[in-house]
Amino acid sequence: MKVEPPYNPLDKRNLGVSVADAMLERKPVPLPIEESFTGAGIYAIYYTGDFPAYHEITKRNRKNNFAWPIYVGKAIPAGARQGGVGLGENPGTVLFGRIREHASSIQQAMTTLEIADFACRYLVVEDIWIPLGESLLIQKFEPVWNLFLDGFGNHDPGSGRYNQQRSAWDFLHPGRAWALKCAANKRTEAEILASLEVYISKKITEGR
């Protein structure tokens, strides 16, 4: 006889799902976000533009559907990085600032991307639930800029580290001045685009 385990609303995963679902219920807002707000939390960025490689993503996000984020992220208080998660660290405007950083990266990649083609859902969350909420959203949507085209969330590595390889994101969407100082990516644009097409096609086949 099959035994069905009882649903536990306080199970860690169920609590994480509730956080992720709460964010997905938020109304998407255009980037960049103009009005500052306080708090840490999670967010999802959506693309609706005409960059050919993202055609299938755009198709799922247009007409206010916003069904497939191109990137999911989190912003935690500075103290949480030193083990202070859940200890009441003052988050300041860390979530607002992180989303603004992403908007700036997009604006700098003006030859391939338009900021008007992006929207964002975000949710201010108690810091202890932020990593779990982000992980579940990435698992659910497998966003292209998280799991395939790496580098969107990178920061300037600083002087002396520009010998490292330029990220695939910066190679496909050039514009960030610090990234242009990095060494060339080992793959060609054609190779990256071909692999990207395979990745997106695979996700569609899996029911994305």
Side-chain angles (χ1 to χ4, degrees):
M1 179 184 294
K2 182 179 180 180
V3 177
E4 288 285 347
Y7 176 76
N8 178 7
L10 298 182
D11 178 81
K12 181 175 71 172
R13 182 176 180 86
N14 291 334
L15 287 169
V17 168
S18 72
V19 171
D21 286 348
M23 193 215 68
L24 293 173
E25 291 173 0
R26 299 294 298 269
K27 181 180 179 180
V29 296
L31 290 183
I33 299 173
E34 299 295 343
E35 186 175 357
S36 176
F37 60 89
T38 60
I42 55 178
Y43 58 91
I45 295 175
Y46 298 85
Y47 180 67
T48 60
D50 296 323
F51 190 74
Y54 303 143
H55 171 73
E56 292 295 337
I57 297 173
T58 291
K59 189 164 69 173
R60 285 155 177 75
N61 292 333
R62 281 183 170 165
K63 298 182 180 179
N64 292 317
N65 286 325
F66 296 104
W68 192 2
I70 199 166
Y71 186 78
V72 164
K74 69 177 182 295
I76 59 177
R81 298 184 181 91
Q82 286 78 47
V85 175
L87 299 181
E89 294 289 338
N90 181 3
T93 58
V94 65
L95 180 56
F96 169 75
R98 187 63 173 145
I99 296 171
R100 291 281 289 187
E101 285 179 11
H102 289 321
S104 177
S105 292
I106 293 165
Q107 287 171 318
Q108 291 174 68
M110 63 182 68
T111 60
T112 57
L113 301 173
E114 293 285 343
I115 192 65
D117 295 326
F118 288 85
C120 177
R121 283 187 171 108
Y122 66 88
L123 181 71
V124 174
V125 181
E126 290 287 345
D127 53 9
I128 193 171
W129 302 114
I130 292 172
L132 182 58
E134 180 202 33
S135 295
L136 289 170
L137 286 166
I138 292 174
Q139 184 182 77
K140 178 180 178 68
F141 293 110
E142 300 177 293
V144 171
W145 287 359
N146 288 92
L147 300 185
F148 177 80
L149 201 67
D150 69 289
F152 176 59
N154 290 359
H155 293 96
D156 187 340
S159 178
R161 296 184 180 181
Y162 293 130
N163 60 335
Q164 67 185 31
Q165 183 177 256
R166 191 178 311 158
S167 76
W169 189 90
D170 284 292
F171 187 64
L172 199 60
H173 302 298
R176 294 193 287 199
W178 60 264
L180 295 174
K181 299 177 185 177
C182 295
N185 195 284
K186 294 179 180 179
R187 293 183 293 172
T188 67
E189 181 178 353
E191 289 172 336
I192 293 174
L193 287 171
S195 298
L196 178 57
E197 181 180 356
V198 171
Y199 179 86
I200 292 176
S201 296
K202 182 174 183 291
K203 297 310 162 189
I204 292 169
T205 301
E206 294 171 352
R208 176 61 53 230

